[in-house]
Structures are given as structure tokens and as C-alpha cells.
Amino acid sequence: MKTYRLSPSARRSAIVLLIGALIIWVFALWTLRISIATGSDPSIGFVPALRENLDRGLSPGQIIPALLMVVLLVATPLAAWSIIEELGAQYTPTDAGLRFTSFGVALTCPWNSVIGVHRRDDDADEPLDEVVLSDDLSSQIRNPLVRWLHRQACGVRRFIIYAGLEDRDDLVREIRMRAGLNDAQPALSAGMTG
């Protein structure tokens, strides 16, 4: 049984992206504090400065950057989780089905649940492949937070075969063969949503 993992260069790229996401999150937190505390005594803490500005009323110059930073504070951890899941992704074809593992995620997808494999974006420099499933397998993930994060990263009835995977085309061929998919199947499943 061969286990497919990210190549070393893909791991390095994912780590750089993760560091970038963390820098963006820290920047958003710092900018939020500055935009809300504008006009307050700089020696007081964040919460007292927030209360003071809320009592006084926030100006549009404070509200707009603050809302933007709140969106970044929420969205960046979701993007970071997608990168973390990609970084730890491992695919192992077994007789029972395709086993996908990553940090906190362990899914076994029976071959009869695979209804399609298709390329997500043919025009991308490094396109992703997507395995479309007939069932939601995320219930196999015990931790509810990790389950929710995985669903946000991949979708409900699908998972991603990442671009930086070593021998990705071999894995895709093996999935198609073991699942009994013919060459016409990927085009059919490309239009499915789930």
C-alpha cells in the first residue's frame, strides 16, 4: 500500500502560506485595536478604549477599518486551517477504500461512495483534483470543530487531492480504477454540487 503525500517543495510553499496567514491575522488584530482606540488615551487598555469610543460614538473612519479587520480576523483562521489540512494530507488506497488523513482528520471512503473525480480548474498553474462522494463522510471526524473546519475547506460530499501531491496523477488513476469510473465520468461529475 502506497501512501501519497505532498512533495517537499509543496510543503515549503504551504508553510510559507501559513506564515503569511498568521502575519495577516496579527496585522488585522493590531489594526483593529488602533482603529477602535483612535482618539482615546493611548495609555489605557483596549477594552476601556473601546468602551470610551462606543460611548462617544464611532466615526465612519473607525467603523469601516474595524469591520474590515473583523472579517480578516474571522476569515484568516479558516484559510489557515485549509493550509494546515493540505500540509498534513495523506492518501492511502486500500481494499476497503481510500483513506484520507491529515491533522485531526481521518476518513475512510469506500470505493462505492466515489461517484466522480474531476479537475477543479484546468486553467490554474497547479490545478486541484476533487473526489466527489455519494455520502457525507465527515461524520467520521469525532471533533465537531475539526469536522466543521474540514467541511469548510473541502465541502460536504467531496475532498480535495492537492496540487503539490507527489505522483498525484497515479493516485487519480488508481481512484478511478478502484471506484470503477470510466473516462466519461469526470466530466459528468464536474457539474455536481454538494
Side-chain angles (χ1 to χ4, degrees):
M1 259 186 297
K2 180 176 180 179
T3 297
Y4 297 84
R5 294 178 177 88
L6 287 183
S7 68
S9 64
R11 279 193 200 108
R12 285 190 295 275
S13 295
I15 289 170
V16 168
L17 288 172
L18 186 59
I19 291 169
L22 293 174
I23 290 170
I24 289 170
W25 192 83
V26 169
F27 170 77
L29 186 63
W30 178 69
T31 304
L32 177 65
R33 192 222 183 282
I34 289 174
S35 64
I36 288 181
T38 300
S40 297
D41 181 6
S43 64
I44 64 173
F46 175 72
V47 174
L50 176 61
R51 282 190 189 133
E52 181 181 312
N53 278 326
L54 287 175
D55 290 342
R56 209 176 41 227
L58 295 173
S59 70
Q62 291 172 302
I63 292 173
I64 293 169
L67 289 176
L68 236 143
M69 294 308 114
V70 168
V71 168
L72 279 176
L73 286 170
V74 171
T76 303
L78 294 175
W81 171 258
S82 296
I83 296 166
I84 289 169
E85 189 167 320
E86 178 180 358
L87 192 58
Q90 297 182 37
Y91 306 84
T92 307
T94 67
D95 292 336
L98 181 62
R99 179 112 173 112
F100 172 76
T101 58
S102 188
F103 299 107
V105 177
L107 300 172
T108 300
C109 173
W111 295 116
N112 61 359
S113 291
V114 177
I115 58 174
V117 178
H118 68 272
R119 188 90 2 130
R120 209 180 225 187
D121 184 7
D122 286 327
D123 296 334
D125 290 339
E126 293 185 27
L128 302 173
D129 290 306
E130 212 171 45
V131 177
V132 182
L133 309 169
S134 61
D135 304 314
D136 178 9
L137 302 176
S138 63
S139 61
Q140 296 176 22
I141 303 170
R142 291 185 180 151
N143 184 313
L145 177 61
V146 173
R147 183 182 320 121
W148 183 80
L149 289 168
H150 173 74
R151 285 177 175 168
Q152 299 309 307
C154 295
V156 177
R157 288 182 292 170
R158 61 189 68 225
F159 62 86
I160 298 169
I161 299 176
Y162 295 101
L165 204 66
E166 289 183 318
D167 301 324
R168 184 184 71 189
D169 292 334
D170 293 342
L171 175 61
V172 170
R173 271 192 297 278
E174 186 167 358
I175 292 169
R176 285 191 176 132
M177 181 195 68
R178 286 185 179 237
L181 302 175
N182 58 29
D183 290 338
Q185 189 71 22
L188 177 66
S189 64
M192 291 188 60
T193 59

